[in-house]
Amino acid sequence: MAPRSLLTMITSPFVRLFRKVLLTFGYPRLDGPPFLVGPHQTVGAIQVRIPNGTACQVFYPAVSSNQQQRPQSSSAPYFRPAAVQGLIEYLRFGDGLFQLLSETKHPCQWQADPITTIAATDANEKDKNTPTKNVAALSSFPLVIFSHGLAGTMEMYTELCQHVASLGYCVVALEHQDGSAAYAETATGTFIPYQRPNDEPYSRQKVWKLRTPMLHRRVQELERVVEYIVEEKKRQESQENTSNSAASSSNDVFSKVIQVTDPSQIHLIGHSFGAATQLLAAQQWTSNTESSSSP
């Protein structure tokens, strides 16, 4: 028997016991109300796949559970089991312990209805003595596109995205399919393995050759997300009485989230390789805008 297999057999029962102890005491501890930085202390989350695009996790200001128009969906795990396994294979350690991530409940309200109206102040600017009153205004949250770093997944930055959403943003965290994610799959369920550099000595040219195609693929995936949201927004605006329909699935909830999203206000956020992705996207989109507006 190989030493590694023997070591696994010896340590696995202790690792499982340690995992159960951590879960019993509430670890890993994830932020939630009243610890979110923004005014929206209820943040909803869903996982969707953009048609002809990537899988994403979406975060948004949501109504509290007692105001839901439908029964609250059961909570999803913090990490999908397959994503945890992908992370373990990437790191080449952590089996038996990282499963904590898939045994912990998601910190957001799963598939919750988004906030459709917000309180606004109606004041008479000409007469300061006139009392103000609160009126309902349609929600309109700017769109944030989040790009993960190397070996990331759509769940990797959940707490960060949750905090951003609490400030009044709709956050779409992509799971890139360029071979840079610890776990990703195609629309048909085919696993996309992480692409590691070859065994050649490190050089700038080596990294450039491997990562440049990934960057351009990532920017195309970002573009597809924005394109779909803009298209869906226009489709919704051309129809009547869609905002009152009760959501019953992730796609239905995503449709309602798009209703309260303002894609004309786009913010790009990324970590590490995701930041490089957003810089390239910003450069390309700015260049295209300037070209289209030039005489």
Side-chain angles (χ1 to χ4, degrees):
M1 181 180 295
R4 183 181 179 89
S5 300
L6 178 60
L7 179 63
T8 300
M9 288 181 60
I10 295 174
T11 59
S12 290
F14 297 99
V15 171
R16 287 195 296 269
L17 177 60
F18 182 58
R19 194 171 77 222
K20 290 181 179 179
V21 171
L22 289 177
L23 286 171
T24 301
F25 285 94
Y27 289 93
R29 293 182 176 177
L30 307 175
D31 281 348
F35 305 109
L36 299 181
V37 297
H40 300 285
Q41 288 296 296
T42 301
V43 172
I46 52 173
Q47 291 178 358
V48 296
R49 176 171 288 278
I50 303 298
N52 301 316
T54 62
C56 305
Q57 188 161 208
V58 184
F59 306 82
Y60 51 91
V63 299
S64 59
S65 57
N66 60 349
Q67 295 177 316
Q68 294 289 321
Q69 297 179 2
R70 58 189 173 80
Q72 183 70 44
S73 299
S74 58
S75 179
Y78 185 30
F79 269 66
R80 294 158 296 165
V84 171
Q85 188 59 39
L87 184 61
I88 292 171
E89 292 177 2
Y90 166 76
L91 295 172
R92 296 172 179 169
F93 74 89
D95 190 15
L97 183 60
F98 283 0
Q99 279 78 7
L100 270 171
L101 298 173
S102 60
E103 295 171 356
T104 301
K105 290 179 60 176
H106 201 286
C108 299
Q109 295 293 316
W110 195 248
Q111 295 186 1
D113 290 323
I115 293 176
T116 56
T117 58
I118 55 177
T121 300
D122 181 18
N124 188 333
E125 293 296 332
K126 295 181 180 180
D127 186 359
K128 298 300 182 181
N129 295 322
T130 302
T132 61
K133 61 180 180 178
N134 290 330
V135 296
L138 292 178
S139 301
S140 182
F141 301 117
L143 174 63
V144 172
I145 307 295
F146 188 90
S147 176
H148 65 71
L150 295 177
T153 65
M154 72 170 78
E155 301 101 334
M156 189 74 73
Y157 305 86
T158 289
E159 287 197 84
L160 172 61
C161 293
Q162 181 186 18
H163 281 287
V164 174
S166 76
L167 292 167
Y169 294 89
C170 291
V171 184
V172 179
L174 282 73
E175 188 162 78
H176 290 291
Q177 298 180 182
D178 59 329
S180 68
Y183 176 80
E185 62 181 22
T186 66
T188 58
T190 301
F191 172 65
I192 302 173
Y194 179 82
Q195 294 185 28
R196 296 180 183 273
N198 56 34
D199 295 331
E200 296 177 2
Y202 175 85
S203 68
R204 183 180 180 87
Q205 291 74 20
K206 171 185 174 181
V207 175
W208 185 265
K209 182 178 179 180
L210 176 65
R211 301 303 185 196
T212 298
M214 290 182 173
L215 279 175
H216 289 284
R217 169 68 183 268
R218 281 166 157 251
V219 172
Q220 291 174 355
E221 292 171 348
L222 298 180
E223 291 175 342
R224 177 55 192 152
V225 170
V226 176
E227 179 184 61
Y228 174 76
I229 291 176
V230 171
E231 291 174 350
E232 181 65 13
K233 185 84 171 180
K234 290 180 179 179
R235 185 193 67 80
Q236 292 175 354
E237 291 174 349
S238 67
Q239 298 180 350
E240 295 181 355
N241 300 324
T242 58
S243 60
N244 294 326
S245 59
S248 59
S249 69
S250 291
N251 288 334
D252 291 335
V253 176
F254 189 36
S255 181
K256 298 187 75 170
V257 171
I258 291 175
Q259 290 177 18
V260 298
T261 301
D262 182 1
S264 68
Q265 300 184 63
I266 301 177
H267 303 270
L268 304 179
I269 303 178
H271 171 246
S272 189
F273 198 54
T277 302
Q278 301 293 29
L279 283 173
L280 180 60
Q283 291 172 356
Q284 291 186 358
W285 296 353
T286 301
S287 177
N288 293 340
T289 301
E290 292 175 349
S291 298
S292 61
S293 62
S294 60

